[in-house]
Amino acid sequence: MTCAECIDSLGPYLDGELLREEAAVIAEHLETCADCAAAHRRLVATSSQLKNGLTRYQAPDVLKARIRAALAQPEVESKVQYAQVTRFNWRRTITAAAVVAVVSSAVTLSVVGRKPLGETVQSELLSSHIRSLMPDHLTDVASNDQHNVKPWFNGRVDISPTVPRLDSLGFPLIGGRIDYIDGRSVPVIVYTRRQHVINVYSWPATTKNAAPHTASSHGYNFIQILRDGEELWIVSDLNRNELEQFARLFVGTR
């Protein structure tokens, strides 16, 4: 093997893309050629610096929901998309598919693969919030008008939920649904903040008032509020400061 051939193959060699026989030839050349070995060390150091300096971002709930919705399209549309994808370089196709798979399934896998949360209710709320991001699961009644959302729950649950309009304060109402938490059907009021979904759960409580309780798990924030015989749980991947702001605004309308 010449030095030029070795240098051209260092990238695939470092990424583990070569056949075993090809990798063995390069490894043997690196042991006998000081210049190529130095180039290999520089490439390894550069790769390490780039990986350590990468900024990792948490995908917002709305993006996860859109990806899941795209993956749930009918088979006919999938075949058309597949036909278009095959026109591209196979490596780019595999990379794109891997990104979609990681983003769409990372949250679900983190819930399944880790130990259960300490509190059963909080664990159920986390599962409910993630489930709501699946296609057609976020709302049973879709409306930004509280006079449409609030009456929809009449006769369906054992509590009349609070449904304030917070659009002017940056938290638009998008609707509501009924979910099943801790052995009961409960109302869920749904808001958004930029690309983040906020689910507000409520049910009757024996304790009238208590200081708000906050928690976080798997990248999601929880706020529990006990007030006037009602228990509220607010769940979102929104940062804690803004979620606490939302909680103050929500409770302040009561």
Side-chain angles (χ1 to χ4, degrees):
M1 168 174 280
T2 65
C3 290
E5 292 173 336
C6 181
I7 295 298
D8 288 342
S9 300
L10 283 181
Y13 174 74
L14 185 62
D15 294 335
E17 298 176 353
L18 300 180
L19 296 175
R20 181 180 301 177
E21 295 79 6
E22 295 173 329
V25 172
I26 292 179
E28 182 179 354
H29 182 83
L30 293 176
E31 291 180 356
T32 58
C33 179
D35 291 338
C36 289
H40 176 254
R41 288 193 297 272
R42 288 194 297 270
L43 187 60
V44 170
T46 301
S47 177
S48 178
Q49 290 178 355
L50 289 174
K51 290 179 180 178
N52 293 335
L54 287 177
T55 300
R56 293 174 171 80
Y57 295 95
Q58 175 74 20
D61 279 345
V62 172
L63 175 58
K64 298 169 189 172
R66 288 175 179 171
I67 292 174
R68 292 191 177 100
L71 294 176
Q73 293 300 311
E75 184 179 357
V76 173
E77 183 175 342
S78 297
K79 290 182 179 179
V80 174
Q81 293 174 345
Y82 175 77
Q84 295 173 342
V85 167
T86 54
R87 299 175 187 173
F88 294 91
N89 180 276
W90 67 271
R91 286 185 180 177
R92 294 180 182 178
T93 302
I94 292 176
T95 301
V99 170
V100 171
V102 168
V103 173
S104 63
S105 64
V107 175
T108 302
L109 288 178
S110 68
V111 174
V112 174
R114 298 182 185 181
K115 294 181 180 180
L117 296 174
E119 299 179 11
T120 301
V121 172
Q122 186 172 309
S123 179
E124 290 186 26
L125 290 168
L126 177 61
S127 298
S128 169
H129 182 86
I130 294 173
R131 185 171 59 247
S132 74
L133 304 178
M134 300 297 289
D136 303 321
H137 282 65
L138 189 57
T139 59
D140 293 327
V141 52
S143 176
N144 62 355
D145 187 345
Q146 72 235 64
H147 300 297
N148 292 331
V149 176
K150 185 178 179 68
W152 183 87
F153 290 98
N154 293 341
R156 290 183 166 94
V157 291
D158 58 359
I159 189 173
S160 179
T162 301
V163 188
R165 282 288 298 271
L166 303 174
D167 303 53
S168 61
L169 301 174
F171 299 94
L173 169 71
I174 65 171
R177 70 176 186 279
I178 294 177
D179 217 320
Y180 196 76
I181 303 294
D182 196 27
R184 74 183 86 188
S185 296
V186 302
V188 188
I189 311 302
V190 186
Y191 295 84
T192 60
R193 175 73 163 181
R194 297 186 300 276
Q195 297 295 308
H196 305 273
V197 171
I198 304 172
N199 279 312
V200 182
Y201 302 79
S202 61
W203 55 80
T206 55
T207 303
K208 283 193 174 183
N209 294 287
H213 169 74
T214 61
S216 61
S217 178
H218 298 73
Y220 292 89
N221 289 312
F222 302 79
I223 300 178
Q224 180 194 27
I225 301 172
L226 294 170
R227 179 172 173 150
D228 300 329
E230 182 180 8
E231 183 171 355
L232 296 172
W233 279 87
I234 302 171
V235 185
S236 179
D237 70 338
L238 185 65
N239 68 79
R240 177 167 293 186
N241 288 339
E242 288 185 277
L243 195 62
E244 290 178 346
Q245 177 191 3
F246 169 83
R248 289 191 295 269
L249 294 170
F250 188 94
V251 172
T253 62
R254 297 165 57 83

